[in-house]
Amino acid sequence: IRMVWQLGWHHKLWNIRKSKKINQKELADLLGITKASYSRKERDAESFKISEAKVICKHLNCTLDELFG
């Protein structure tokens, strides 16, 4: 039996952000939130607003579906 492990959206976000060499502070500044707040959201301890998710996707050059789907 072959098991396929799927990354959750927060792991996808972390991987895309790291691959583009963008830090949490940079995205937090774009969203107008603190780095601590952004960090909680990226860890899935808090939720991103849809407007924030759209800004993140635009900056990371990905779609909402690619990131959260």
Side-chain angles (χ1 to χ4, degrees):
I1 298 175
R2 186 179 143 176
M3 304 274 297
V4 177
W5 184 67
Q6 283 191 302
L7 294 177
W9 68 265
H10 50 289
H11 288 109
K12 290 180 194 176
L13 174 55
W14 185 87
N15 284 332
I16 293 170
R17 183 176 60 74
K18 288 292 188 178
S19 74
K20 296 182 183 282
K21 297 181 178 19
I22 297 171
N23 62 40
Q24 289 184 336
K25 175 88 169 85
E26 186 176 347
L27 287 178
D29 288 347
L30 280 173
L31 299 175
I33 61 177
T34 65
K35 181 186 172 290
S37 179
Y38 179 88
S39 179
R40 285 190 300 272
K41 292 174 185 238
E42 188 174 279
R43 288 191 324 265
D44 203 20
E46 290 181 17
S47 297
F48 283 106
K49 296 175 187 171
I50 190 69
S51 58
E52 293 172 329
K54 288 178 179 180
V55 169
I56 290 169
C57 287
K58 183 176 180 179
H59 192 71
L60 296 179
N61 196 30
C62 65
T63 66
L64 287 170
D65 214 29
E66 289 170 325
L67 189 56
F68 297 100

